[in-house]
Amino acid sequence: MFAQLVDGIFWDIALWVFGIGVLWGILSIFRVRNKPDYSEPRGSGTAGAVGANLRRFLPRTELVSRTRLHIVAGYLFHLGLFALLFFAAPHVLFFEAQTGLGWTPMPYWAFIITAQLSFLGLMLLWIHRVMHPVTRLLSDLDDHLAAILTFIVMLTGCMALIGEFEGLRVLHRFTVELLMVYFPFSRLMHAFMFIPSRAFTGAWFGRRGVKA
Amino acid sequence: MATQVQTANRHRRIIVWSLMLLIALMLFLPLIPYALAYVSPEAGGVPNPGTELWRAVRSGDKGTSQVQGVDTGVLINEYGEAWRHFRMEQLIPFGAMLMGSVLVLIVLFYLVSGPLRIPGGATGKKIQRFSVFERTTHWFTVSLFWLLALTGLILLYGRFVLIPVLGPEGFGLTASACKEAHNLFGPLFLVAILMMLLTFVKDNIYARGDITWLLKGGGMFGGGHVSAGRFNAGEKIWFWIAVLGGLVLSASGLVLDLAVFGQGREVMAISHVLHGIAALVVITVSFGHIYMGTAGVEGTISSMTNGYVDEAWAKSHHDRWYAEMQAAAGDDEAEQAGGGAAAGVASPVAND
Amino acid sequence: MARMKFLCDAERCIECNACVTACKNENEVPWGVNRRRVVTINDGSPGERSMSVACMHCSDAPCAAVCPVDCFYTTDDGVVLHDKDICIGCGYCFYACPFGAPQFPKNEAFGSRGKMDKCTFCAGGPLPDNSPEEYASYGSNRLAEGKLPLCAEMCATRSLIAGDGDVVSEIFRERVTWRGSAGFAWGWGVAYNKSGIRKGKAIEGNAVGGD
């Protein structure tokens, strides 16, 4: 009963909300028009946009000593999650069943180590966020909800690893649907927005001849 | 004549007796090996080849088999019974008794003596006890510890406690989820334990005064004030139980988790025994740690939430650490007043 | 009800592995799983003996005692079976079993074994008798058809005997009488003969053969 809903109507709803929500979010940001900039350009906007996108993968040297944990844990979590989402064998099978496109998944042990590093990053980052007085003040409900929801999705995923218990697979898919519905309305949108937003700032600064 | 008759009689007697002796010997001599074998089975006689083979097989002699795999040549696993006995008749009942009785003792202690108040009440002046990184390390370890402890306890006791509640299918699903989570999160606990060790080891080395602290039961008996540094002897003992127990748990857990290096049933059984004992000891002692950190001692919990404790708390429970902190703060103030360097950034929160 | 038993007469076993092959073929067991294997002791020296070994369906089954999800059960015929819908693949039954009977289709890092598989005495599992689902999960259910396990039926030297414990012991006793010595037979009633292990339903365990 519940399994049919999760595999059927709930999935459809989640997919539509996710798809339309993400598109709407991206389009509405691109539709925002800034005032025209009549100043004499001192540098290339395009170069600034590309440069900012690449440079921000590396931490600012002045801040490295104070953000070591964020850098290490942040990369562990994000890269791990990306690899899990697209290269875990059950996910590849799922995508193949949904779209007909399949690719080579990671071996089981690599998939588990990736999941572990990802969990390590997520847990350290969230606990640090709560423990640090400044980030605690900066965080609102959305930050905590996004982190906890992501953790629950990953936890149910790891609980369903054996792949033999239907109930656990349904539970994992249900939490994924919750996350997909929540996604467009939260800062999780940074998954799609981080490149355009870096590009925007980079172009703005580049035009003025400033490194962003 | 008489002598002739006598001689004939004697001959007849000799013949009769010899015959009887012969018959007796014929009957009894063959029994000697049996008698010997009966008295001492090892000595004498040819042992039954089947018995000998049987004995060799039971003591774990390895044979060969066309079936490839770990231990396929072993006909009888001689450790199976010892392992079953340990798990079902020692670990499960004694572990439950240990955890249950410590919980009951803690509740009784709380009901009888209540929480330990800050003498003279809180002053309102705060002093930082744990940095952001120390607290992050602590709560990261806590999260993993309880995730693993709960999933492990469900696997150990679920058969008796949860099957009546969830039914066999429901519990099968729960146990599978717990097993997978336990196997996946286990190796991360090693990371947490190592972070814990590196962060806190410098303050957990034996220092003068720890024996006195222990002898006075942390101030419970003997009267008088008990002096302590950043961590008192009780906290140090808990630290070493947690770290060493954690290392035993991680090492044995990795042997159980990564069963791809050809380790056989003997190694797995020994690892399981170590894992079970270490887990139940650390879980039981953690009850005491949780009690002391929350309900047991007033004003302690804030040291792990926002990192600060009241000055009166510090003076009462960790006087030597308090003195060191005051001295260090005094030095800082003197330095800042003198040199004027290191401006505002030296706030305690930035110290992660 | 009968108490089903296996008995392997080591004086007759020639290590031909026909029982192993018959079992694999009849039950279409997963790759890497061998419900039955032949072990040779003193291979190549005088006194060499071979024995075919699989689950012995103990009355005091230690696998059932240690199973964290309690998925084992004993049938009225004294056959120890398990429910793969409940099994979590923890491997505990394999540590406790004297014979190494429980098998796992996988052995990957991080405890991934898949569901346990073992000899069912050709008696299927808890699903409906001879249904395709039962065959897929547990293999053949010959017992429900009134047949005995194929490994024993296939044994060329009649070394491996399967069936009602009384009949099996009678056959062996007759052999011993003719042969003049017991030799060594491989049979089993109880695993460790200790109290405190879950007993099968009203089944008296008495070992056949051995010392």
Side-chain angles (χ1 to χ4, degrees), chain C residues 1 3 6-7 18 49 54 75 129 133 145 167 177 182 202:
Chain C
M1 271 304 202
R3 161 59 163 112
F6 278 124
L7 185 137
R49 290 290 182 282
T75 67
D129 283 348
E133 297 81 38
E145 298 169 347
V167 180
T177 316

Side-chain angles (χ1 to χ4, degrees), chain B residues 61-73:
Chain B
D61 266 19
K62 264 200 157 182
T64 53
S65 177
Q66 298 298 310
V67 169
Q68 302 294 306
V70 177
D71 284 354
T72 49

Side-chain angles (χ1 to χ4, degrees), chain B residues 114-350:
Chain B
L116 191 60
R117 302 271 173 215
I118 301 176
T123 59
K125 281 175 80 180
K126 299 287 183 186
I127 157 172
Q128 193 183 26
R129 182 151 169 79
F130 293 116
S131 74
V132 173
F133 187 76
E134 284 170 338
R135 280 178 283 143
T136 305
T137 303
H138 175 259
W139 290 114
F140 177 58
T141 313
V142 170
S143 320
L144 285 173
F145 179 75
W146 281 109
L147 206 108
L148 292 166
L150 286 177
T151 50
L153 287 174
I154 286 173
L155 288 171
L156 192 60
Y157 290 104
R159 175 171 172 170
F160 312 101
V161 180
L162 288 178
I163 288 183
V165 183
L166 300 171
E169 281 83 14
F171 181 65
L173 186 140
T174 313
S176 172
C178 289
K179 180 208 154 210
E180 300 302 327
H182 199 88
N183 285 348
L184 191 142
F185 280 97
L188 284 184
F189 190 61
L190 180 60
V191 178
I193 283 295
L194 292 176
M195 277 170 70
M196 206 69 183
L197 181 68
L198 293 176
T199 315
F200 290 111
V201 71
K202 62 179 185 299
D203 294 313
N204 278 293
I205 307 216
Y206 172 79
R208 275 178 64 191
D210 284 350
I211 292 283
T212 323
W213 192 95
L214 274 183
L215 288 176
K216 289 189 174 178
M220 281 201 293
F221 2 88
H225 184 76
V226 282
S227 155
R230 189 177 185 206
F231 296 117
N232 62 41
E235 288 170 307
K236 286 180 185 177
I237 290 173
W238 160 237
F239 173 82
W240 287 110
I241 289 177
V243 165
L244 296 178
L247 289 177
V248 171
L249 280 167
S250 301
S252 55
L254 285 174
V255 172
L256 293 165
D257 207 4
L258 307 175
V260 290
F261 301 107
Q263 60 264 48
R265 284 166 289 185
E266 186 186 357
V267 178
M268 298 292 266
I270 292 169
S271 300
H272 178 277
V273 169
L274 290 174
H275 202 76
I277 294 174
L280 288 171
V281 166
V282 179
I283 289 172
T284 307
V285 184
S286 82
F287 292 156
H289 173 68
I290 293 166
Y291 171 74
M292 298 303 280
T294 54
V297 182
E298 187 191 359
T300 308
I301 184 71
S302 63
S303 67
M304 261 308 159
T305 52
N306 58 31
Y308 286 85
V309 287
D310 199 87
E311 275 199 357
W313 182 94
K315 238 182 272 182
S316 151
H317 298 306
H318 299 275
D319 51 344
R320 277 188 276 128
W321 171 70
Y322 177 69
E324 280 164 33
M325 292 300 282
Q326 290 304 101
D331 286 353
D332 277 1
E333 272 166 32
E335 236 172 66
Q336 278 186 18
V345 282
S347 83
V349 289

Side-chain angles (χ1 to χ4, degrees), chain C residues 59-77:
Chain C
S59 309
D60 60 341
C63 49
V66 298
C67 179
V69 291
D70 203 8
C71 75
F72 290 87
Y73 63 98
T74 307
T75 67
D76 295 337
D77 291 328

